[in-house]
Amino acid sequence: MTQPRAHKSLIEKVVFSRQYPVILGDTVGVTSTYQRLHAHDALEINMIKSGTGYYMINGERYDFREGDILLINSNDLHCAYETENLIMLVVTFDASWFMGMVRCDPDVLSPFKEMGLYFSNLLDRDNEHMGMLRALLLQMQEEHEGGQRSYTSLVYAHLLQFFVYINRYFRMDSLQPSKSTVTATQLEKIWHVTRVMEEQPAYPWTLEELAALVYLSPSRFSDIFRRTAGMSPLLYLIQLRLENAYTLLQTTDRKILDIALECGFRTLSNFNRLFKRHIGTEPRNVRTQTALIDSKIVSVFERLGGVSEME
């Protein structure tokens, strides 16, 4: 049985360069975009370079750790959360880049087309061929960032090889049925609610009001939301508000009290308490800390298989 998919009308469109339809790079931690339930029309590959966390994909939880590789299909409703020191390589690309190859090898994109049937979003970390996949992704990133002559062709070649090895070595004839009981209709309802919350995060939403948006009882809505997003509706709302506050703290010189009230927090003390609990520091420290993102990028080329096992 195939996994439920998000409704096409809600799918986000990723804009690519026509000549080179791929976006590739490291992400430190989990940005607010990744923490929000979303789906897009592109295909995505994640390799965990360090740290731990988990993905919620179509209502199923996938815990990941260093060295893991995940595939995100187009239409997959998903969000990611960091638990500790997460750095991951994210490759997002347009499937149409490989349409010419599909005419020669119809199975080349099977890992995505047959997701939930013969392939899992989280690749088997114990598979003896994982080293080859990690090496290909790291070589792909090296070519992409090096920008030498004809680097786009090598990125294409590495990505194509990556698909071939997944199709050849990671296909499962008896994939266990998904434990998720979240249906496609339920996924669409939860996504609709999260969109409303994102558009009006400062509104004093109650659980009853959120449930009423999709004609569910509060208890039923809360249960489906938790299984889909990995947290309760009101906690999801708090995180949205904190993300907005964090952005305003970084980009404006407005008073902290004004930011707290605008983002939906009733008192400054409540805002400070929640901010420190979820962000890990006090709001006033955001403006005094220097972003040291580059220093957190670690060298993992050799540690995760930078030298291809095929050599």
Side-chain angles (χ1 to χ4, degrees), residues 8-271:
K8 289 185 178 180
S9 64
L10 297 175
I11 303 299
E12 299 172 5
K13 183 172 180 59
V14 181
V15 179
F16 293 102
S17 163
R18 180 174 298 180
Q19 291 76 23
Y20 185 52
V22 60
I23 301 170
L24 192 157
D26 287 334
T27 177
V28 179
V30 178
T31 65
S32 59
T33 300
Y34 278 90
Q35 289 181 12
R36 300 183 184 188
L37 279 171
H38 65 287
H40 42 66
D41 61 350
L43 302 179
E44 184 178 319
I45 302 165
N46 291 178
M47 183 177 74
I48 311 306
K49 287 189 168 184
S50 69
T52 57
Y54 63 94
Y55 255 110
M56 298 299 301
I57 306 175
N58 297 322
E60 184 109 8
R61 174 168 169 153
Y62 297 90
D63 291 276
F64 55 73
R65 66 192 190 207
E66 182 178 308
D68 281 345
I69 297 176
L70 298 101
L71 307 180
I72 310 294
N73 206 356
S74 60
N75 303 353
D76 275 347
L77 186 59
H78 61 286
C79 57
Y81 301 102
E82 174 187 19
T83 54
E84 185 179 8
N85 300 325
L86 178 62
I87 300 177
M88 61 182 174
L89 169 63
V90 179
V91 183
T92 308
F93 62 97
D94 189 343
S96 65
W97 202 21
F98 295 90
M99 286 302 99
M101 181 55 62
V102 168
R103 288 195 290 270
C104 302
D105 180 3
D107 294 330
V108 70
L109 291 179
S110 290
F112 292 97
K113 292 190 297 182
E114 298 177 338
M115 184 70 69
L117 290 174
Y118 302 108
F119 299 93
S120 171
N121 289 97
L122 177 63
L123 297 183
D124 179 9
R125 61 172 63 104
D126 296 321
N127 189 299
E128 62 180 330
H129 301 286
M130 278 293 287
M132 288 194 300
L133 298 186
R134 297 185 190 118
L136 285 169
L137 292 176
L138 291 170
Q139 291 164 7
M140 191 189 314
Q141 183 178 21
E142 186 178 47
E143 285 295 333
H144 174 83
E145 294 177 351
Q148 298 185 55
R149 186 183 298 275
S150 297
Y151 75 94
T152 58
S153 294
L154 274 177
V155 170
Y156 181 94
H158 290 325
L159 194 52
L160 181 61
Q161 205 171 1
F162 180 85
F163 300 149
V164 169
Y165 286 132
I166 294 179
N167 198 27
R168 179 177 295 177
Y169 299 120
F170 289 80
R171 185 182 182 89
M172 295 176 283
D173 293 329
S174 56
L175 183 63
Q176 293 294 321
S178 172
K179 298 177 182 178
S180 173
T181 57
V182 182
T183 67
T185 300
Q186 291 170 339
L187 284 174
E188 186 174 345
K189 287 183 176 182
I190 298 304
W191 198 10
H192 170 69
V193 173
T194 61
R195 286 295 183 88
V196 173
M197 293 164 70
E198 290 165 12
E199 292 170 358
Q200 305 176 59
Y203 181 82
W205 293 105
T206 65
L207 183 61
E208 289 74 17
E209 288 175 317
L210 292 171
L213 292 173
V214 286
Y215 309 101
L216 292 171
S217 70
S219 60
R220 179 64 171 158
F221 167 72
S222 184
D223 176 61
I224 297 173
F225 193 103
R226 188 182 296 274
R227 285 187 283 121
T228 301
M231 64 178 65
S232 70
L234 296 183
L235 180 55
Y236 189 92
L237 179 60
I238 288 173
Q239 290 203 348
L240 288 177
R241 291 172 174 171
L242 290 173
E243 290 164 13
N244 291 338
Y246 191 93
T247 300
L248 290 174
L249 287 167
Q250 283 190 314
T251 58
T252 74
D253 58 359
R254 297 173 58 185
K255 293 181 179 180
I256 294 178
L257 175 60
D258 293 340
I259 290 176
L261 295 176
E262 180 178 328
C263 292
F265 297 95
R266 296 182 180 180
T267 65
L268 182 58
S269 61
N270 184 49
F271 171 62

